[in-house]
Amino acid sequence: MNQTDGRLLRGEQTRRLILEQAVNIASIDGLEGLSIGRLATDLNVSKSGVFTHFGSKEELQLATVRAAAEIFVAEVVRPAEQVPPGLGRVWRMCETRLGYMSRPIFAGGCFFYSATAEFDARPGRVRDEIATNLRRWRRKNVDDIKDAMAAGEISKDTDAGGLAFELDAYARAGGGDALIHDDPEAIRTARTAMLARLRTVATDPSLLPPA
Amino acid sequence: MNQTDGRLLRGEQTRRLILEQAVNIASIDGLEGLSIGRLATDLNVSKSGVFTHFGSKEELQLATVRAAAEIFVAEVVRPAEQVPPGLGRVWRMCETRLGYMSRPIFAGGCFFYSATAEFDARPGRVRDEIATNLRRWRRKNVDDIKDAMAAGEISKDTDAGGLAFELDAYARAGGGDALIHDDPEAIRTARTAMLARLRTVATDPSLLPPA
């Protein structure tokens, strides 16, 4: 590896380190809580070092949203895709989602839960980036449900969009309740609701775990 | 009215005016976005005038949470209580809730949705006050469902706590989606989910409106 490659590698490592910290800060103090100065202090690098990577607070916020989305995909989506398409995958995605909401992956709870509430009334590129990722997540869930319908494992007359909305609503509410009330039981409440809802549309409920 | 009464009245009016503005600011920029200086400028009163009423940022935040809760009760709970206890009241509460989420009552959408996401990872008096109000709201919903069960209008074997969680989850997700995607249709999706869910537990579904 020549010197330039070494610098690029260190650059990429620094960028990752910065974004990891940025996602954690944002999950606690919001995307508005991010600042180049604060990241530089936290990570003991120079402000110009952070600035080189992001240039502006908005660019830093956008990169942070994208980094959080990558973590979400790695923690929730990819593990569920180990299961073949069908009801099993739909249920697995519910479980990986709840796991993600109950483990301390982000210091301040689900990044997208916080970011959505923070930016929903602030038009601009950051809000658009958050909304794009949420739409992608919903589309993924609808596609998985439609695959399960095509496989005959979810009843054909199911409203896939409605079901995706409901499962997502349980996860969001359960994760939110668990955090604000310091009550992990709320995750279990969400799980119970998801499982009961899937039982009403499963053509063979024995494909689902017992309640 | 003597002079002291007049001063008290003006004081109470000023306090209300300040809190009204504080709730709106917090719904957009969060409770951390509140400052005595900003409120004084926005309302064209002196900083010491605002300070007299609240004394500290934390007191201001606590008073703002309480003011938002009063608005929520006036807009959502009281109108539903015009309907006698039973399935009709449970459904009316769903409707007043969705109405509250679709009308621009707070400039930045549901105050509690934003405040919860902002403070769920910040222990302290403000988080406790938010959590207390959320528990009160959940308890109210559970009580209304139990009343409907006692009236024989919701099936006796219903898990009242689970049902309250699910209905609340739909409203939160629908309101959140409507705001981040600028899509009022999300409120309708939540309404459809609420109505379908209540149909599964209603002993006489004709007590509910047609889908």
Side-chain angles (χ1 to χ4, degrees):
Chain A
M1 194 189 293
N2 65 32
Q3 202 193 354
T4 314
D5 287 344
R7 270 194 217 135
L8 277 175
L9 185 60
R10 281 198 301 280
E12 187 48 37
Q13 284 171 333
T14 308
R15 193 186 147 88
R16 268 169 202 256
L17 212 68
I18 294 169
L19 287 177
E20 219 168 85
Q21 179 71 359
V23 168
N24 280 325
I25 292 177
S27 75
I28 301 176
D29 291 331
L31 284 161
E32 285 299 330
L34 290 178
S35 82
I36 288 176
R38 177 173 175 183
L39 282 164
T41 308
D42 283 4
L43 297 168
N44 201 20
V45 297
S46 67
K47 276 178 80 162
S48 67
V50 180
F51 196 80
T52 304
H53 286 286
F54 303 104
S56 73
K57 179 160 177 171
E58 192 181 64
E59 288 302 329
L60 175 62
Q61 290 173 327
L62 287 168
T64 303
V65 173
R66 287 179 201 124
E70 277 175 30
I71 296 172
F72 185 88
V73 168
E75 295 282 339
V76 178
V77 178
R78 294 288 169 255
E81 285 180 336
Q82 303 301 309
V83 178
L87 182 59
R89 179 182 288 184
V90 172
W91 173 244
R92 189 75 194 109
M93 192 79 81
C94 292
E95 289 194 310
T96 57
R97 173 81 179 282
L98 293 176
Y100 154 88
M101 304 208 87
S102 56
R103 268 172 299 139
I105 292 171
F106 301 125
C110 176
F111 174 90
F112 282 97
Y113 183 79
S114 307
T116 301
E118 187 182 6
F119 272 86
D120 55 13
R122 298 188 202 182
R125 290 173 68 206
V126 178
R127 177 177 185 263
D128 292 347
E129 184 65 34
I130 296 166
T132 298
N133 279 287
L134 295 178
R135 269 195 300 270
R136 202 171 285 154
W137 167 241
R138 180 65 56 83
R139 206 178 314 123
K140 169 70 183 151
N141 287 322
V142 170
D143 287 349
D144 283 348
I145 290 167
K146 285 186 175 166
D147 283 348
M149 288 167 70
E153 293 176 358
I154 286 184
S155 156
K156 303 279 183 209
D157 59 357
T158 302
D159 169 6
L163 180 58
F165 166 82
E166 289 170 43
L167 296 175
D168 193 50
Y170 300 151
R172 286 152 76 175
D177 285 359
L179 218 51
I180 191 83
H181 300 303
D182 255 334
D183 177 16
E185 195 53 37
I187 300 284
R188 182 151 289 277
T189 303
R191 186 182 187 277
T192 302
M194 286 168 145
L195 195 51
R197 186 68 186 87
L198 284 178
R199 283 189 183 286
T200 66
V201 294
T203 53
D204 176 6
S206 79
L207 293 174
L208 292 167
Chain B
M1 194 189 292
N2 64 33
Q3 205 192 353
T4 316
D5 287 345
R7 270 194 215 134
L8 278 175
L9 184 61
R10 278 197 305 279
E12 188 47 39
Q13 283 170 334
T14 308
R15 192 184 148 88
R16 268 168 201 254
L17 211 68
I18 293 170
L19 287 176
E20 218 167 87
Q21 179 70 359
V23 168
N24 280 325
I25 291 176
S27 76
I28 300 176
D29 290 331
L31 283 160
E32 285 299 330
L34 289 179
S35 83
I36 288 176
R38 178 173 175 186
L39 282 165
T41 308
D42 283 4
L43 297 168
N44 201 21
V45 297
S46 68
K47 276 178 81 162
S48 66
V50 180
F51 196 81
T52 304
H53 287 285
F54 303 103
S56 73
K57 181 161 176 170
E58 191 180 65
E59 289 302 329
L60 175 62
Q61 290 174 328
L62 288 168
T64 303
V65 173
R66 287 179 201 124
E70 277 176 31
I71 296 173
F72 186 88
V73 168
E75 295 282 340
V76 177
V77 178
R78 293 291 167 253
E81 285 180 336
Q82 301 302 308
V83 177
L87 182 59
R89 178 183 287 184
V90 173
W91 173 245
R92 188 76 194 109
M93 192 79 82
C94 292
E95 289 194 310
T96 56
R97 174 80 181 282
L98 294 176
Y100 155 87
M101 305 210 85
S102 56
R103 266 169 301 137
I105 293 170
F106 300 127
C110 176
F111 173 90
F112 281 96
Y113 183 79
S114 306
T116 302
E118 185 182 6
F119 273 85
D120 53 15
R122 300 188 202 182
R125 291 173 69 206
V126 178
R127 178 177 184 262
D128 292 346
E129 184 65 34
I130 296 167
T132 298
N133 279 287
L134 295 178
R135 269 195 299 273
R136 200 171 287 154
W137 167 240
R138 181 66 55 84
R139 204 177 316 124
K140 169 69 184 152
N141 288 322
V142 171
D143 287 349
D144 283 347
I145 290 168
K146 286 185 173 165
D147 283 348
M149 288 165 71
E153 294 176 354
I154 287 184
S155 156
K156 303 281 182 208
D157 59 357
T158 302
D159 169 6
L163 179 59
F165 167 82
E166 290 170 43
L167 296 175
D168 193 49
Y170 300 150
R172 285 151 76 175
D177 285 359
L179 218 50
I180 190 82
H181 300 304
D182 255 335
D183 177 17
E185 195 55 36
I187 299 285
R188 183 151 288 276
T189 303
R191 186 181 187 277
T192 302
M194 286 167 145
L195 195 51
R197 186 68 187 88
L198 284 177
R199 283 187 183 286
T200 67
V201 295
T203 52
D204 175 6
S206 78
L207 293 175
L208 292 166

